[in-house]
Amino acid sequence: MRVVEVTAYGGPEVLRSVRRPEPDPADAPGRVRVRLKAAGVNQADLKIRSGRYAAALSALTPPFVLGYDFAGTLVDPAPGLPEGTRVAGFVPWVEEATGAGTYAETVLVEPEWLAPVPDEVDFTAAASLPLSAVTAAQALDLMALPEGSTLLVTGASGVVGRFAVQLAARAGHRVIALGDGDDAHELRLLGAAAVVPRGAPDQEVAGVLGFAPDRVDGVFDAALIADPLLPAVKDGGVFVSASGERVPVAERDVRVDAVVGRPDAALLKELLDLVGAGALATRVADVLPLEAAAEAHRRVEAGHRPGRIVLMI
Ligand SMILES: NC(=O)c1ccc[n+]([C@@H]2O[C@H](COP(=O)([O-])OP(=O)(O)OC[C@H]3O[C@@H](n4cnc5c(N)ncnc54)[C@H](OP(=O)(O)O)[C@@H]3O)[C@@H](O)[C@H]2O)c1
């Protein structure tokens, strides 16, 4: 099968298209094969490719196959899902540490990593959301704020942030979105009560206090701004980061934590159904062939992409 391998840690040029044997379900009883149609390119893929997690992933040496998100069709039946069902999900790549990611024609997955894709949702849209939308939902769960809380979401122009804005608004919170000023209109349509344009941290805090003079109950920091935003949080509030590498130092009884997205088939099904019903927007910035993975990484690295870049397989 066709895959894209990380041949050595480094820049996008280390990504190479090669052929590998198809995964054999006999090697992992209980797992099922998915024939991929699309794979999302996540920020984590870039960090792993660069070698940033090489020490943490010391058991794994290049060459290996990157990739969390997938959408495709079931080759083997899974509980409640017959062969041929359109499915999407994400491989918990770091926890798995097998280097058998989704930049590949076929992956072998646990049934609880995947959910059926509604007819209304195409494969590229389905591959754009699993890790990001599940992580955004799990971050909100981790915050455990009562309905009606005031919540700041940073990186609101990005993929995880956009989902967090929409899901928090659906949960009945008053959402302040910190994102690109140009996206203000769209972020309001997605449910933000107020939009603070990105800028210097003290301006951002002043902007948040302009909308929430008593400060916010919680922050979900998808832009990894961390400590400079703490003054915007109430005493005893909550601050959840999208990365354990960027968690602020706690002060004034603010609970600080980091979310780690974990596969959850039921939650993913709910999110895909919302997309199918037109109640949750997902955005695909570009669709490129699998073989153009290096170009996809360059585009993600350049930033300012309005949505997920997806590889067609
Ligand atoms: N914990 C988990 O399990 C998990 C799961 C998924 C993602 N993540 C992490 O979550 C983060 C967001 O992921 P994503 O997929 O949403 O990435 P993304 O689409 O690139 O979004 C990040 C957004 O933050 C913006 N940003 C960066 N620095 C900023 C700053 N100082 N102030 C304001 N905005 C800033 C970016 O703008 P520009 O593009 O213009 O720079 C972009 O709009 C990444 O660090 C990713 O690794 C964690």
Side-chain angles (χ1 to χ4, degrees), residues 254-310:
V254 173
R255 175 167 66 88
V256 300
D257 212 337
V259 64
V260 178
R262 308 251 185 242
D264 178 334
L267 173 60
L268 179 59
K269 181 177 184 313
E270 236 176 80
L271 295 164
L272 284 163
D273 287 347
L274 285 174
V275 174
L280 180 69
T282 185
R283 257 178 98 168
V284 175
D286 295 308
V287 180
L288 295 171
L290 175 64
E291 288 70 21
E295 172 60 17
H297 277 220
R298 283 187 200 99
R299 292 187 191 183
V300 176
E301 234 150 45
H304 314 302
R305 303 310 286 193
R308 180 67 65 227
I309 295 184
V310 172

Side-chain angles (χ1 to χ4, degrees), residues 1 3-6 9 20-21 23-24 27-28 31 48 53 56-68 90-104 106-110 113:
M1 66 171 174
V3 302
V4 170
E5 283 183 350
V6 173
Y9 288 123
R20 281 192 173 195
D24 184 349
D27 292 341
R31 292 202 171 183
I48 294 165
Y53 300 148
L57 294 167
S58 58
L60 187 68
T61 48
F64 55 73
V65 178
L66 278 179
Y68 281 74
F90 72 89
V91 172
W93 199 94
V94 169
E95 291 81 352
E96 276 282 288
T98 57
T102 61
Y103 292 10
T106 306
V107 289
L108 198 51
V109 300
E110 291 290 342
W113 296 349

